[in-house]
């Protein structure tokens, strides 16, 4: 009778679907949590370790291979392209001045002599000095830029608020000008440059750019690519500039690019995610890549990552040989930081225990 009762209970759970929801491991819990409303805006997750795909899930209409807007995570890809341009000799170094790349736009609007001191490094570090600030939303210049014909001209003509190199103010204007520098220095469009020197070596063939009315590609965001191909970008960073045994960008550049030198005051992604386990640590900024230590009472790992509005992330955890990508639609919401909760609850414990 006892065996019969156990059998009935087992069949009940199977029929109700409860048995099917039992995760085989921590990673399987991600898809379950994504479908049961815990992470309602999560759309895709890919995880590779040592270049091999170990987990992927697609939710809420996103499919494998679907193109997704990277939003500002593309700024980090732009930083990679700058490194490649330096490696190839198109750009001398990050200390080159910005405005000499654009002589055709003279006379520049709102000219101030301090603009002469603005360098490529200032753009990479979000220290251009332009009177724009998207981080706290106090002065978002991107919307105004998108209503003009020539986005490069708009950026160059903006007034300064601070001396270049002195203050961290996050703005898409900087990344847009980096794309213009790549195009002018290489004598080809940014899309042609990226296709030849980054995407083709990685086997990335499906993507979509956003352009201004004159055809300038934006390198600040609005670039569409699949989560799997986002992961390939992360693998380049993980392997110090190498993909599948071939050098894409110098290791020296990757190291410099991902060094967290600028502390973002009063900001922690883990804290915003409201994870109860991790101890919030500050977020740092390098050349368009972020760094944050994920720390609990039992372990800690440093995460280097690209970040875009809505929950778009390329995360690199070097000591575990991991690359993790997230895509989502939590735009302009604190829920965009929930991937850090997923990282702490499911991903890092799964690999750290092995």
């Amino acid at each position: 009778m006892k065996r019969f009762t156990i059998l009935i209970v087992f069949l009940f759970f199977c029929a109700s679907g409860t048995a099917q929801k039992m995760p085989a491991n921590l990673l399987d819990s991600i898809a379950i949590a994504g479908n049961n409303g815990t992470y309602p805006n999560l759309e895709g997750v890919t995880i590779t370790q040592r270049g091999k795909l170990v987990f992927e899930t697609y939710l809420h209409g996103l499919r494998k291979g679907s193109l997704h807007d990277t939003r500002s995570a593309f700024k980090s890809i732009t930083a990679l392209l700058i490194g490649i341009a330096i490696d190839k000799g198109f750009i001398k170094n990050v200390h080159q001045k910005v405005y000499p790349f654009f002589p055709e736009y003279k006379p520049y609007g709102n000219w101030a002599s301090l603009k002469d001191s603005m360098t490529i490094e200032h753009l990479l570090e979000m220290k251009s000095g332009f009177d724009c600030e998207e981080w706290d939303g106090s002065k978002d210049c991107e919307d105004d830029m998108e209503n003009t014909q020539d986005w490069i001209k708009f950026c160059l003509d903006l007034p300064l608020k601070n001396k270049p190199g002195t203050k961290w103010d996050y703005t898409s204007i900087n990344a847009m000008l980096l794309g213009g520098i790549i195009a002018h220095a290489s004598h080809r469009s940014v899309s042609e440059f990226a296709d030849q020197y980054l995407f083709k070596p990685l086997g990335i063939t499906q993507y979509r750019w956003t352009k201004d009315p004159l055809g300038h590609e934006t390198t600040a965001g609005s670039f569409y690519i699949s989560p799997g191909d986002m992961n390939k970008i992360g693998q380049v960073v993980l392997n110090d500039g190498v993909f599948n045994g071939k050098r894409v960008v110098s290791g020296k550049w990757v190291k410099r690019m991902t060094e967290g030198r600028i502390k973002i005051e009063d900001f922690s992604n883990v804290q915003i995610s409201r994870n109860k386990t991790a101890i919030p640590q500050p977020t740092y900024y390098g050349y368009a890549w972020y760094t944050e230590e994920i720390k609990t009472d039992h372990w800690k790992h440093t995460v280097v990552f690209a970040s875009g509005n809505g929950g778009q992330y390329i995360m690199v955890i070097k000591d575990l040989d991991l690359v993790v990508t997230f895509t989502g639609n939590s735009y302009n919401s604190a829920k965009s930081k929930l991937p850090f909760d997923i990282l702490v609850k499911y991903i890092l414990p799964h690999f750290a225990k092995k």
Side-chain angles (χ1 to χ4, degrees):
M1 183 66 181
K2 185 178 180 181
R3 289 183 179 179
F4 179 74
T5 302
I6 292 173
L7 178 61
I8 292 297
V9 171
F10 175 75
L11 291 174
F12 171 78
F13 277 108
C14 288
S16 66
T18 305
Q20 296 177 359
K21 294 180 181 178
M22 293 298 291
N25 56 50
L26 283 172
L27 297 185
D28 288 339
S29 299
I30 299 172
I32 294 171
N35 280 311
N36 69 15
T38 305
Y39 304 110
N41 304 105
L42 181 67
E43 294 181 329
V45 183
T46 72
I47 304 174
T48 57
Q49 187 173 44
R50 301 180 190 92
K52 294 183 179 180
L53 182 68
V54 294
F55 178 82
E56 63 180 339
T57 188
Y58 303 98
L59 308 160
H60 308 127
L62 190 72
R63 298 179 180 179
K64 183 183 178 72
S66 296
L67 302 186
H68 198 287
D69 191 352
T70 56
R71 301 298 285 253
S72 285
F74 193 76
K75 291 179 174 67
S76 305
I77 298 176
T78 299
L80 273 175
L81 294 175
I82 287 288
I84 293 171
I86 291 174
D87 289 344
K88 302 293 181 185
F90 295 114
I91 297 172
K92 292 179 182 178
N93 54 58
V94 296
H95 304 298
Q96 278 192 266
K97 302 297 191 292
V98 171
Y99 278 83
F101 283 99
F102 305 99
E104 72 274 24
Y105 286 102
K106 289 183 177 180
Y108 310 110
N110 294 298
W111 181 252
S113 59
L114 284 176
K115 285 187 174 183
D116 272 332
S117 66
M118 189 186 301
T119 67
I120 292 172
E121 183 171 66
H122 294 152
L123 300 179
L124 288 163
E125 292 187 332
M126 294 293 171
K127 291 184 175 182
S128 61
F130 285 123
D131 188 12
C132 301
E133 172 53 73
E134 294 173 29
W135 194 256
D136 59 12
S138 59
K139 193 163 187 180
D140 187 341
C141 297
E142 187 177 19
D143 290 341
D144 290 338
M145 179 189 76
E146 291 174 352
N147 290 324
T148 66
Q149 290 288 307
D150 188 335
W151 295 353
I152 297 292
K153 175 176 171 53
F154 176 89
C155 296
L156 292 169
D157 288 348
L158 282 167
L160 292 182
K161 182 180 180 181
N162 301 295
K163 179 182 177 181
T166 61
K167 190 173 184 298
W168 191 84
D169 283 317
Y170 184 92
T171 174
S172 295
I173 299 305
N174 297 334
M176 186 69 203
L177 285 177
L178 288 172
I181 288 171
I182 291 169
H184 279 71
S186 67
H187 303 291
R188 67 197 79 190
S189 68
V190 179
S191 56
E192 291 171 334
F193 183 91
D195 184 64
Q196 180 176 351
Y197 294 114
L198 181 60
F199 298 149
K200 278 184 178 176
L202 271 57
I204 298 173
T205 58
Q206 300 296 316
Y207 50 82
R208 186 169 78 250
W209 293 86
T210 296
K211 303 179 182 181
D212 74 7
L214 296 183
H216 301 128
E217 300 94 342
T218 177
T219 43
S222 300
F223 179 85
Y224 294 77
I225 191 173
S226 72
D229 285 341
M230 287 170 64
N231 197 289
K232 292 178 180 178
I233 300 293
Q235 290 177 48
V236 172
V237 175
L238 174 69
N239 296 312
D240 298 321
V242 174
F243 183 79
N244 281 349
K246 294 184 179 180
R247 173 71 56 190
V248 177
V249 64
S250 67
K252 180 181 178 182
W253 177 259
V254 173
K255 184 176 185 297
R256 180 65 178 167
M257 180 182 72
T258 57
E259 285 177 346
R261 297 177 297 281
I262 303 164
K263 182 181 179 181
I264 303 175
E265 295 299 329
D266 303 316
F267 191 85
S268 166
N269 287 276
V270 165
Q271 185 172 39
I272 298 171
S273 78
R274 297 186 177 180
N275 178 270
K276 306 288 187 189
T277 304
I279 304 164
Q281 303 296 310
T283 307
Y284 292 85
Y285 200 76
Y287 286 170
W289 285 80
Y290 300 84
T291 303
E292 186 168 327
E293 185 179 71
I294 311 296
K295 182 179 181 180
T296 71
D297 290 333
H298 305 289
W299 47 258
K300 63 180 179 179
H301 301 280
T302 298
V303 181
V304 172
F305 59 98
S307 173
N309 186 5
Q312 328 313 324
Y313 295 97
I314 304 171
M315 298 183 176
V316 178
I317 304 99
K318 194 149 191 170
D319 62 323
L320 295 176
D321 290 310
L322 289 179
V323 176
V324 183
T325 67
F326 293 94
T327 51
N329 59 28
S330 298
Y331 299 110
N332 303 313
S333 167
K335 291 181 179 178
S336 66
K337 304 305 180 185
L338 286 176
F340 284 86
D341 185 59
I342 296 171
L343 196 67
V344 176
K345 281 184 180 177
Y346 307 116
I347 298 174
L348 293 179
H350 176 83
F351 290 98
K353 68 182 180 181
K354 293 186 175 182

